[in-house]
Amino acid sequence: LEVLVFRMNTELFLDILKIDSTTGREVQLADFLAERFHVGRCKVERFENPVNLLFSWGEPKVIFCTHLDTVPPYIAPTADGDEFRGRGTCDAKGQIFAMYEACLELDRRGYDDFGLLLLSGEETGSFGAKAFAGQCGKEYDTVIVGEPTDNCMASAAKGTKAFEVTFTGKACHSGYPENGLSAVEMFCDFMNALRSIVFPKDEVLGDTTFNVGKLVSDNPQNIVSDKLTCRVYFRTTFESDEMVCNVMRNMAGPQARLRFGRRTVQDGSDIISKDVAPWQKSMSVNALGGDSPTRFTVLEGFESKPVSFGSDAPQLKNFRRKILCGPGSILVAHRDEECVSLKDLETAVANYIKMFEQLI
């Protein structure tokens, strides 16, 4: 990669990192960037409800894109030599900074027709990306989405499917559990059944995985739990995306119907036993939606690999072609140890410039 002939404005990066933009708090960062990035020939468009920003040089055909929000909690930045630590350093304020620096260099080189799109709410459902097509009312050629991919182009990404699960039991004195029905025990039976499912291994995206979050059973320790709620969040592959829906439908019992957009998953399946277990009789499932696995454009001359995380890319439906690439490691994203190196940021800037020049 060519050596950049300018010095990156790391003070600007630190200023961006100092603003708490955890999901729901994007407005302050949007205000700062709308003023700070609006220089020279750059035109800025601000959209509301939710807040999204589009910076344009000419009429964009290629748009760099990442998100304004970060996961909580906010962690103030520190700089140690050439390494930056703190919330958002690699997910995704590092991408904001690197993409803006690339835009400035493209402007210096006399290029036109590119832009930088910054979206709200990626971490909690990509609601900014979902809104953007309606907000701008335009179709574009290519979007380059910034996420921590170790500066490799993502060849494909796993999909997501989320379910809200509720178990309803019967409370009683914990000294006499035979007089009640424990929602916690039903949850344990459900988890054992779910862990026994063998999902096919995908030749591109590998294994299907799931995680349980928002687990709540607020019963006193001496009372058998009468209710437990949780969310089950799947990372799906090309092989398992439909199967996951069928598994959850069948676990919820023969009458369950899970709805995703316009498609209702309700066909019969032998994925699990047709015999209804006791815990299934007191279980309800609400499908919360998700994205399907996605294949991305990979340009010649770049390293590539599949990734197991989601992004705004599937929801950016007004782009003909999608690329996913950015500085930093997903392995430190969402952690207290989140960090990114100056070298990674410099490589990202050079990568983004090279991508643009190759695309045009």
Side-chain angles (χ1 to χ4, degrees):
L1 294 173
E2 63 184 284
V3 177
L4 297 176
V5 296
F6 67 96
R7 182 172 179 82
M8 298 179 73
N9 184 359
T10 55
E11 289 301 316
L12 172 60
F13 186 36
L14 286 170
D15 287 341
I16 294 171
L17 292 171
K18 289 174 183 176
I19 299 173
D20 177 1
S21 63
T22 49
T23 305
R25 295 175 171 265
E26 295 96 329
V27 171
Q28 185 180 354
L29 180 59
D31 291 343
F32 173 81
L33 296 177
E35 180 178 352
R36 192 69 175 268
F37 286 6
H38 189 195
V39 295
R41 297 187 303 120
C42 173
K43 180 181 71 172
V44 60
E45 295 176 78
R46 181 179 179 126
F47 307 96
E48 301 292 346
N49 300 317
V51 60
N52 291 325
L53 297 175
L54 176 61
F55 302 89
S56 301
W57 288 259
E59 293 297 325
K61 296 181 176 64
V62 176
I63 291 183
F64 301 99
C65 173
T66 192
H67 53 96
L68 293 161
D69 65 319
T70 67
V71 296
Y74 173 69
I75 302 172
T78 60
D80 183 10
D82 287 342
E83 184 173 77
F84 300 89
R85 293 184 174 272
R87 182 60 77 224
T89 45
C90 76
D91 189 17
K93 292 179 178 179
Q95 283 72 21
I96 293 175
F97 176 63
M99 287 180 163
Y100 178 63
E101 290 282 351
C103 288
L104 291 181
E105 180 62 12
L106 290 172
D107 186 33
R108 291 187 190 102
R109 297 184 185 188
Y111 287 114
D112 220 331
D113 298 339
F114 59 91
L116 172 60
L117 174 63
L118 303 178
L119 300 168
S120 290
E122 188 271 345
E123 298 290 0
T124 54
S126 293
F127 55 82
K130 291 173 182 176
F132 177 69
Q135 288 176 332
C136 74
K138 296 179 182 179
E139 299 291 325
Y140 297 95
D141 184 76
T142 303
V143 62
I144 300 172
V145 177
E147 290 286 349
T149 67
D150 302 297
N151 281 318
C152 293
M153 279 191 169
S155 56
K158 287 185 177 180
T160 60
K161 292 290 181 288
F163 304 88
E164 185 175 64
V165 182
T166 301
F167 297 92
T168 303
K170 179 182 178 182
C172 71
H173 192 292
S174 64
Y176 302 88
E178 65 274 13
N179 293 322
L181 183 63
S182 172
V184 172
E185 289 187 7
M186 288 189 283
F187 168 75
C188 293
D189 291 339
F190 160 74
M191 288 300 297
N192 287 334
L194 185 58
R195 292 173 65 185
S196 72
I197 303 297
V198 179
F199 293 98
K201 192 176 184 69
D202 190 282
E203 63 178 14
V204 175
L205 292 172
D207 294 326
T208 299
T209 62
F210 64 88
N211 184 55
V212 176
K214 295 186 177 293
L215 182 63
V216 178
S217 181
D218 195 22
N219 60 295
Q221 63 186 23
N222 58 353
I223 298 177
V224 169
S225 171
D226 64 345
K227 186 176 181 180
L228 183 148
T229 60
C230 66
R231 288 191 182 182
V232 184
Y233 191 64
F234 287 87
R235 303 284 182 173
T236 65
T237 70
F238 299 113
E239 292 285 340
S240 69
D241 198 54
E242 182 76 11
M243 180 179 174
V244 161
C245 299
N246 283 327
V247 164
M248 292 301 293
R249 186 200 70 82
N250 284 309
M251 283 191 165
Q255 303 305 314
R257 296 186 177 188
L258 307 181
R259 188 164 182 81
F260 286 95
R262 297 180 179 178
R263 178 171 58 88
T264 300
V265 181
Q266 56 183 334
D267 50 301
S269 173
D270 294 324
I271 295 170
I272 64 172
S273 171
K274 291 184 178 180
D275 295 331
V276 178
W279 54 267
Q280 290 178 277
K281 297 177 182 178
S282 301
M283 171 185 175
S284 64
V285 176
N286 179 29
L288 301 177
D291 298 319
S292 295
T294 305
R295 297 185 189 274
F296 294 104
T297 297
V298 175
L299 300 179
E300 188 176 344
F302 290 88
E303 292 185 34
S304 66
K305 63 178 181 180
V307 298
S308 297
F309 57 83
S311 72
D312 281 330
Q315 299 300 332
L316 294 170
K317 301 185 184 301
N318 54 330
F319 289 88
R320 183 178 67 86
R321 181 167 46 185
K322 298 173 185 178
I323 292 170
L324 184 68
C325 188
S329 169
I330 194 65
L331 299 181
V332 297
H334 299 191
R335 294 177 55 180
D336 292 349
E337 300 83 7
E338 186 175 352
C339 61
V340 73
S341 71
L342 181 61
K343 181 180 179 181
D344 273 0
L345 294 172
E346 290 173 339
T347 299
V349 175
N351 274 342
Y352 292 141
I353 293 168
K354 183 180 177 182
M355 289 175 201
F356 178 81
E357 291 180 332
Q358 190 167 330
L359 285 165
I360 63 172

